[in-house]
Every structure is written in C-alpha cells, then in structure tokens.
Amino acid sequence: EIESVRDIIEIINQTEPGIEITLAVLRDGKELTIGVTLGAILTIAFSIVLTSSFNMPTMAWYYTPLGMIALILIGQVAVLGPSSGAARTEPAIATRSI
C-alpha cells in the first residue's frame, strides 16, 4: 500500500527499467488494477507531486495512458516518411562512398 510519494520512490528504486508492475488504484470506492511499466509509474508519481505541491485538482486516471499512446503514434508517424524513402534506396547506392 502506498501512503506517500516516498513509498512510490522506494518502489521505483527497487525496480529495474522495463519491468511491468501491477498497480491498483482506488477511485470512487472502486479498485482498478492495471499493469504499468516504470515510465508510467514515474509519470503518475510526478503528477501526484505536482498536484499536491500546487494544491491543484488531480487529473482523471485515463489521461496518462492516452498521452502515452498519443506519443507512440506521433513517433511512428514522424519516422514513416524518412524510413519509406530509405527503404526505396538500393543497397548499392546507400553504401557507396563519395
């Protein structure tokens, strides 16, 4: 059970990057269990720290995964053009020296 931000930091320090962690969130009396990676936990922890430091209302829980999905899609679209062009280049031309 996480009682403070220090508990989250301790869990993060004990976990290797890329390991999936099961996180149970209690919202409106209902428990929601989700699997998250270390980056998502850092995002959630940072959100908790900012909202408590500046006395702001908390974000809805689904903004974090939606933001992550949006960033993945934007990254894939950003490399689509250059990678398509590179795939059309013949290996003999791509590896020749000038």
Side-chain angles (χ1 to χ4, degrees):
E1 185 174 326
I2 297 173
E3 307 246 342
S4 69
V5 175
R6 292 181 197 266
D7 295 339
I8 295 173
I9 293 170
E10 185 176 322
I11 291 170
I12 291 169
N13 287 335
Q14 295 173 359
T15 306
E16 294 182 30
I19 301 294
E20 184 171 308
I21 299 170
T22 302
L23 179 67
V25 180
L26 187 61
R27 292 281 177 160
D28 300 325
K30 297 178 183 177
E31 185 174 307
L32 173 66
T33 305
I34 52 176
V36 293
T37 58
L38 187 55
I41 289 179
L42 289 172
T43 303
I44 293 167
F46 189 60
S47 174
I48 291 170
V49 168
L50 286 177
T51 55
S52 63
S53 296
F54 295 108
N55 295 323
M56 298 172 59
T58 57
M59 288 190 318
W61 67 270
Y62 52 85
Y63 283 131
T64 300
L66 285 177
M68 290 176 187
I69 291 169
L71 286 175
I72 289 170
L73 291 175
I74 289 169
Q76 294 299 312
V77 169
V79 299
L80 183 63
S83 64
S84 296
R88 287 190 299 267
T89 304
E90 295 179 23
I93 295 174
T95 58
R96 72 176 179 190
S97 58
I98 296 176

